[in-house]
Amino acid sequence: MKDAEPLDRPTAEEYASWFKVLADATRIQVVSLLARCGRAMTVGEIVAAVGVSQSTVSAHLKQLAEVGFVRVERVGTAGYFRINESCVTCFPSAADVVMGRPAPVPPGPEACEE
């Protein structure tokens, strides 16, 4: 049996912040919608697709933006939200990490902050 070591603390904390933000079904729906849509969407479009209130969607988008999963583009007073494509490669597979497979090496915080 080889010596097993946990993920280093900073990496574990980063992954935990990602998983924590995704520990809500509505946020999963929003991320999935934006990823599958392939274009920036308004809050109104997201509200119509997900079926929850504008204030709820806005609060979820704020949390998703804080960890870098979602980006906002301002056009006048309107905000258009899109998935942060660079984070798709940063986000590790939960199954891989939990099952002891090597975690992907994140490219660095700047990659998820574009």
Side-chain angles (χ1 to χ4, degrees):
M1 183 167 136
K2 67 181 185 179
D3 292 333
E5 294 189 24
L7 288 171
D8 63 89
R9 189 65 182 194
T11 301
E13 288 174 353
E14 181 73 11
Y15 291 176
S17 73
W18 295 346
F19 293 131
K20 181 179 178 183
V21 132
L22 293 176
D24 179 275
T26 303
R27 286 192 291 268
I28 293 284
Q29 288 181 302
V30 170
V31 167
S32 174
L33 174 67
L34 292 172
R36 292 168 192 231
C37 182
R39 66 174 176 83
M41 299 178 76
T42 65
V43 172
E45 291 175 306
I46 297 167
V47 165
V50 177
V52 296
S53 73
Q54 181 273 329
S55 61
T56 299
V57 167
S58 293
H60 288 311
L61 287 167
K62 180 181 178 191
Q63 290 180 303
L64 291 165
E66 286 174 356
V67 297
F69 286 145
V70 170
R71 294 287 176 240
V72 63
E73 301 163 4
R74 295 280 173 200
V75 179
T77 59
Y80 290 84
F81 295 85
R82 64 178 172 81
I83 199 76
N84 181 355
E85 292 291 336
S86 65
C87 281
V88 173
T89 58
C90 297
F91 190 71
S93 163
D96 285 341
V97 173
V98 170
M99 298 309 290
R101 292 188 177 139
V105 177
E110 66 283 348
C112 289
E113 295 176 4
E114 288 182 0

